[in-house]
Short mmCIF file of all heavy atoms in Angstrom, two decimals:
data_model
loop_
_atom_site.label_atom_id
_atom_site.label_comp_id
_atom_site.label_asym_id
_atom_site.label_seq_id
_atom_site.Cartn_x
_atom_site.Cartn_y
_atom_site.Cartn_z
N ASP A 108 45.60 -67.93 -63.37
CA ASP A 108 46.58 -68.77 -62.69
C ASP A 108 45.92 -69.19 -61.39
O ASP A 108 45.86 -68.41 -60.44
CB ASP A 108 47.88 -68.01 -62.45
CG ASP A 108 48.96 -68.89 -61.86
OD1 ASP A 108 48.64 -69.86 -61.14
OD2 ASP A 108 50.15 -68.61 -62.13
N ASN A 109 45.43 -70.41 -61.34
CA ASN A 109 44.69 -70.87 -60.17
C ASN A 109 45.56 -70.91 -58.91
O ASN A 109 45.07 -70.61 -57.82
CB ASN A 109 44.10 -72.26 -60.44
CG ASN A 109 42.97 -72.23 -61.44
OD1 ASN A 109 42.25 -71.23 -61.55
ND2 ASN A 109 42.80 -73.31 -62.18
N ALA A 110 46.82 -71.28 -59.06
CA ALA A 110 47.70 -71.36 -57.90
C ALA A 110 47.89 -70.01 -57.25
O ALA A 110 48.02 -69.91 -56.02
CB ALA A 110 49.05 -71.96 -58.31
N LYS A 111 47.92 -68.95 -58.05
CA LYS A 111 48.10 -67.60 -57.53
C LYS A 111 46.79 -66.88 -57.32
O LYS A 111 46.80 -65.73 -56.85
CB LYS A 111 48.98 -66.79 -58.48
CG LYS A 111 50.39 -67.32 -58.63
CD LYS A 111 51.20 -66.45 -59.58
CE LYS A 111 52.63 -66.95 -59.70
NZ LYS A 111 53.43 -66.11 -60.64
N ASN A 112 45.67 -67.53 -57.66
CA ASN A 112 44.35 -66.91 -57.54
C ASN A 112 44.33 -65.56 -58.25
O ASN A 112 43.83 -64.56 -57.70
CB ASN A 112 43.96 -66.76 -56.08
CG ASN A 112 42.46 -66.78 -55.87
OD1 ASN A 112 41.71 -67.27 -56.71
ND2 ASN A 112 42.02 -66.23 -54.75
N THR A 113 44.84 -65.55 -59.46
CA THR A 113 45.02 -64.32 -60.20
C THR A 113 44.47 -64.46 -61.62
O THR A 113 44.64 -65.51 -62.25
CB THR A 113 46.51 -63.93 -60.27
OG1 THR A 113 47.00 -63.73 -58.94
CG2 THR A 113 46.71 -62.65 -61.07
N VAL A 114 43.83 -63.42 -62.09
CA VAL A 114 43.32 -63.35 -63.45
C VAL A 114 44.10 -62.29 -64.21
O VAL A 114 44.46 -61.24 -63.65
CB VAL A 114 41.82 -63.01 -63.46
CG1 VAL A 114 41.31 -62.84 -64.88
CG2 VAL A 114 41.04 -64.11 -62.75
N TYR A 115 44.37 -62.55 -65.48
CA TYR A 115 45.16 -61.66 -66.30
C TYR A 115 44.36 -61.19 -67.50
O TYR A 115 43.46 -61.87 -67.99
CB TYR A 115 46.43 -62.35 -66.80
CG TYR A 115 47.30 -62.90 -65.69
CD1 TYR A 115 47.19 -64.23 -65.31
CD2 TYR A 115 48.21 -62.09 -65.04
CE1 TYR A 115 47.99 -64.74 -64.30
CE2 TYR A 115 49.00 -62.59 -64.03
CZ TYR A 115 48.89 -63.91 -63.66
OH TYR A 115 49.68 -64.41 -62.65
N LEU A 116 44.72 -60.03 -67.99
CA LEU A 116 44.23 -59.54 -69.27
C LEU A 116 45.43 -59.11 -70.09
O LEU A 116 46.04 -58.08 -69.81
CB LEU A 116 43.25 -58.38 -69.09
CG LEU A 116 42.62 -57.86 -70.37
CD1 LEU A 116 41.67 -58.91 -70.96
CD2 LEU A 116 41.87 -56.55 -70.14
N GLN A 117 45.77 -59.93 -71.08
CA GLN A 117 46.85 -59.59 -72.00
C GLN A 117 46.27 -58.72 -73.11
O GLN A 117 45.35 -59.14 -73.80
CB GLN A 117 47.47 -60.85 -72.59
CG GLN A 117 48.57 -60.59 -73.60
CD GLN A 117 49.81 -59.98 -72.98
OE1 GLN A 117 50.26 -60.43 -71.94
NE2 GLN A 117 50.36 -58.95 -73.62
N MET A 118 46.81 -57.53 -73.27
CA MET A 118 46.31 -56.58 -74.25
C MET A 118 47.40 -56.30 -75.27
O MET A 118 48.45 -55.76 -74.92
CB MET A 118 45.86 -55.28 -73.57
CG MET A 118 44.84 -55.50 -72.46
SD MET A 118 44.16 -53.94 -71.83
CE MET A 118 45.63 -53.22 -71.11
N ASN A 119 47.14 -56.68 -76.51
CA ASN A 119 48.08 -56.47 -77.60
C ASN A 119 47.50 -55.51 -78.62
O ASN A 119 46.29 -55.30 -78.69
CB ASN A 119 48.41 -57.80 -78.28
CG ASN A 119 49.09 -58.80 -77.37
OD1 ASN A 119 49.86 -58.42 -76.49
ND2 ASN A 119 48.82 -60.08 -77.59
N ASN A 120 48.40 -54.94 -79.42
CA ASN A 120 47.99 -53.99 -80.46
C ASN A 120 47.06 -52.92 -79.90
O ASN A 120 45.99 -52.65 -80.44
CB ASN A 120 47.32 -54.74 -81.62
CG ASN A 120 47.14 -53.88 -82.85
OD1 ASN A 120 47.86 -52.90 -83.05
ND2 ASN A 120 46.16 -54.23 -83.68
N LEU A 121 47.50 -52.29 -78.84
CA LEU A 121 46.67 -51.30 -78.17
C LEU A 121 46.43 -50.09 -79.05
O LEU A 121 47.29 -49.68 -79.84
CB LEU A 121 47.32 -50.88 -76.85
CG LEU A 121 47.18 -51.91 -75.73
CD1 LEU A 121 48.19 -51.65 -74.63
CD2 LEU A 121 45.76 -51.88 -75.17
N LYS A 122 45.25 -49.50 -78.89
CA LYS A 122 44.83 -48.34 -79.64
C LYS A 122 44.51 -47.20 -78.68
O LYS A 122 44.18 -47.45 -77.52
CB LYS A 122 43.59 -48.67 -80.48
CG LYS A 122 43.77 -49.85 -81.42
CD LYS A 122 42.46 -50.18 -82.11
CE LYS A 122 42.63 -51.37 -83.04
NZ LYS A 122 41.35 -51.72 -83.72
N PRO A 123 44.58 -45.95 -79.14
CA PRO A 123 44.23 -44.84 -78.25
C PRO A 123 42.86 -44.97 -77.62
O PRO A 123 42.66 -44.55 -76.47
CB PRO A 123 44.32 -43.62 -79.17
CG PRO A 123 45.34 -44.00 -80.19
CD PRO A 123 45.11 -45.47 -80.43
N GLU A 124 41.90 -45.54 -78.33
CA GLU A 124 40.57 -45.71 -77.79
C GLU A 124 40.49 -46.74 -76.67
O GLU A 124 39.44 -46.88 -76.03
CB GLU A 124 39.56 -46.06 -78.89
CG GLU A 124 40.00 -47.20 -79.78
CD GLU A 124 40.65 -46.71 -81.07
OE1 GLU A 124 41.48 -45.78 -81.00
OE2 GLU A 124 40.33 -47.25 -82.15
N ASP A 125 41.58 -47.47 -76.43
CA ASP A 125 41.63 -48.38 -75.29
C ASP A 125 41.97 -47.66 -73.99
O ASP A 125 41.92 -48.27 -72.92
CB ASP A 125 42.68 -49.48 -75.52
CG ASP A 125 42.31 -50.39 -76.68
OD1 ASP A 125 41.13 -50.77 -76.79
OD2 ASP A 125 43.23 -50.75 -77.46
N THR A 126 42.32 -46.39 -74.07
CA THR A 126 42.65 -45.61 -72.88
C THR A 126 41.46 -45.58 -71.93
O THR A 126 40.36 -45.19 -72.31
CB THR A 126 43.06 -44.19 -73.26
OG1 THR A 126 44.27 -44.24 -74.03
CG2 THR A 126 43.30 -43.34 -72.03
N ALA A 127 41.69 -46.00 -70.69
CA ALA A 127 40.62 -46.06 -69.70
C ALA A 127 41.21 -46.55 -68.38
O ALA A 127 42.37 -46.97 -68.32
CB ALA A 127 39.51 -47.02 -70.14
N VAL A 128 40.40 -46.47 -67.34
CA VAL A 128 40.70 -47.17 -66.10
C VAL A 128 40.09 -48.57 -66.22
O VAL A 128 38.90 -48.71 -66.51
CB VAL A 128 40.14 -46.44 -64.87
CG1 VAL A 128 40.42 -47.24 -63.61
CG2 VAL A 128 40.75 -45.05 -64.76
N TYR A 129 40.90 -49.58 -65.99
CA TYR A 129 40.46 -50.96 -66.12
C TYR A 129 40.23 -51.56 -64.74
O TYR A 129 41.06 -51.42 -63.85
CB TYR A 129 41.50 -51.78 -66.88
CG TYR A 129 41.47 -51.53 -68.37
CD1 TYR A 129 41.92 -50.33 -68.90
CD2 TYR A 129 40.97 -52.50 -69.25
CE1 TYR A 129 41.87 -50.08 -70.26
CE2 TYR A 129 40.94 -52.26 -70.61
CZ TYR A 129 41.38 -51.05 -71.11
OH TYR A 129 41.34 -50.82 -72.47
N TYR A 130 39.09 -52.21 -64.59
CA TYR A 130 38.69 -52.83 -63.34
C TYR A 130 38.45 -54.32 -63.54
O TYR A 130 37.94 -54.73 -64.58
CB TYR A 130 37.38 -52.22 -62.82
CG TYR A 130 37.41 -50.73 -62.58
CD1 TYR A 130 37.12 -49.84 -63.60
CD2 TYR A 130 37.70 -50.23 -61.31
CE1 TYR A 130 37.13 -48.47 -63.37
CE2 TYR A 130 37.70 -48.87 -61.08
CZ TYR A 130 37.41 -48.00 -62.12
OH TYR A 130 37.42 -46.64 -61.89
N CYS A 131 38.78 -55.10 -62.53
CA CYS A 131 38.34 -56.48 -62.51
C CYS A 131 37.21 -56.62 -61.49
O CYS A 131 37.11 -55.84 -60.54
CB CYS A 131 39.48 -57.46 -62.20
SG CYS A 131 40.20 -57.33 -60.56
N ALA A 132 36.37 -57.61 -61.70
CA ALA A 132 35.20 -57.80 -60.86
C ALA A 132 34.82 -59.27 -60.81
O ALA A 132 35.17 -60.04 -61.71
CB ALA A 132 34.02 -56.97 -61.38
N ILE A 133 34.08 -59.64 -59.76
CA ILE A 133 33.64 -61.01 -59.60
C ILE A 133 32.21 -61.04 -59.10
O ILE A 133 31.77 -60.15 -58.37
CB ILE A 133 34.58 -61.78 -58.63
CG1 ILE A 133 34.25 -63.27 -58.62
CG2 ILE A 133 34.51 -61.19 -57.23
CD1 ILE A 133 35.29 -64.10 -57.88
N THR A 134 31.47 -62.05 -59.51
CA THR A 134 30.10 -62.24 -59.05
C THR A 134 29.76 -63.72 -59.13
O THR A 134 30.41 -64.48 -59.85
CB THR A 134 29.11 -61.43 -59.91
OG1 THR A 134 27.78 -61.57 -59.39
CG2 THR A 134 29.12 -61.92 -61.35
N ASP A 135 28.74 -64.12 -58.38
CA ASP A 135 28.29 -65.51 -58.42
C ASP A 135 26.83 -65.62 -58.86
O ASP A 135 26.17 -66.63 -58.59
CB ASP A 135 28.48 -66.18 -57.06
CG ASP A 135 27.61 -65.58 -55.96
OD1 ASP A 135 27.01 -64.52 -56.18
OD2 ASP A 135 27.53 -66.19 -54.88
N ARG A 136 26.33 -64.63 -59.55
CA ARG A 136 24.93 -64.62 -59.91
C ARG A 136 24.66 -64.28 -61.37
O ARG A 136 23.64 -63.65 -61.69
CB ARG A 136 24.16 -63.66 -59.00
CG ARG A 136 24.71 -62.27 -58.92
CD ARG A 136 23.98 -61.48 -57.84
NE ARG A 136 24.52 -60.13 -57.70
CZ ARG A 136 24.07 -59.08 -58.36
NH1 ARG A 136 23.07 -59.21 -59.22
NH2 ARG A 136 24.62 -57.88 -58.16
N VAL A 137 25.54 -64.66 -62.25
CA VAL A 137 25.32 -64.43 -63.67
C VAL A 137 25.49 -65.70 -64.49
O VAL A 137 25.60 -65.64 -65.72
CB VAL A 137 26.25 -63.32 -64.24
CG1 VAL A 137 26.01 -62.01 -63.53
CG2 VAL A 137 27.71 -63.74 -64.13
N ALA A 138 25.50 -66.85 -63.83
CA ALA A 138 25.71 -68.10 -64.55
C ALA A 138 24.60 -68.37 -65.56
O ALA A 138 24.86 -68.89 -66.65
CB ALA A 138 25.82 -69.26 -63.57
N ASP A 139 23.37 -68.04 -65.20
CA ASP A 139 22.28 -68.17 -66.15
C ASP A 139 22.24 -66.94 -67.04
O ASP A 139 22.39 -65.81 -66.58
CB ASP A 139 20.95 -68.36 -65.42
CG ASP A 139 20.66 -67.27 -64.42
OD1 ASP A 139 21.62 -66.70 -63.84
OD2 ASP A 139 19.48 -66.95 -64.20
N ASN A 140 22.05 -67.18 -68.33
CA ASN A 140 22.05 -66.10 -69.32
C ASN A 140 23.34 -65.29 -69.27
O ASN A 140 23.33 -64.06 -69.33
CB ASN A 140 20.84 -65.19 -69.13
CG ASN A 140 19.52 -65.89 -69.31
OD1 ASN A 140 18.71 -65.93 -68.40
ND2 ASN A 140 19.32 -66.48 -70.48
N TYR A 141 24.46 -65.97 -69.17
CA TYR A 141 25.75 -65.30 -69.00
C TYR A 141 26.05 -64.37 -70.17
O TYR A 141 26.61 -63.29 -69.97
CB TYR A 141 26.89 -66.31 -68.85
CG TYR A 141 28.23 -65.64 -68.85
CD1 TYR A 141 28.67 -64.96 -67.71
CD2 TYR A 141 29.04 -65.64 -69.97
CE1 TYR A 141 29.89 -64.33 -67.70
CE2 TYR A 141 30.27 -65.00 -69.97
CZ TYR A 141 30.69 -64.35 -68.83
OH TYR A 141 31.91 -63.71 -68.83
N TRP A 142 25.69 -64.76 -71.37
CA TRP A 142 26.02 -63.95 -72.53
C TRP A 142 25.42 -62.55 -72.45
O TRP A 142 25.92 -61.62 -73.07
CB TRP A 142 25.57 -64.64 -73.81
CG TRP A 142 26.32 -65.89 -74.09
CD1 TRP A 142 25.87 -67.16 -74.01
CD2 TRP A 142 27.70 -65.98 -74.51
NE1 TRP A 142 26.85 -68.06 -74.34
CE2 TRP A 142 27.99 -67.35 -74.65
CE3 TRP A 142 28.69 -65.05 -74.77
CZ2 TRP A 142 29.25 -67.80 -75.04
CZ3 TRP A 142 29.95 -65.49 -75.14
CH2 TRP A 142 30.21 -66.86 -75.28
N ILE A 143 24.36 -62.42 -71.69
CA ILE A 143 23.74 -61.11 -71.48
C ILE A 143 24.13 -60.54 -70.13
O ILE A 143 24.66 -59.43 -70.03
CB ILE A 143 22.21 -61.21 -71.59
CG1 ILE A 143 21.81 -61.65 -73.01
CG2 ILE A 143 21.56 -59.87 -71.24
CD1 ILE A 143 20.33 -61.91 -73.18
#
């Protein structure tokens, strides 16, 4: 949501193996070779 400067992660059909601490992060130095 650009107006709110917010990123979301919608998680459906959750499984026990999804249990974790979830972090968001940002960087400006992965544009090249982003897939890696």
Side-chain angles (χ1 to χ4, degrees):
D108 186 330
N109 290 330
K111 297 181 179 180
N112 208 21
T113 299
V114 176
Y115 303 96
L116 184 68
Q117 178 68 45
M118 305 188 295
N119 297 326
N120 192 24
L121 284 162
K122 304 175 181 179
E124 50 263 44
D125 295 318
T126 296
V128 177
Y129 283 71
Y130 301 87
C131 66
I133 188 170
T134 183
D135 65 349
R136 53 188 178 91
V137 300
D139 55 330
N140 299 120
Y141 173 76
W142 293 109
I143 298 174

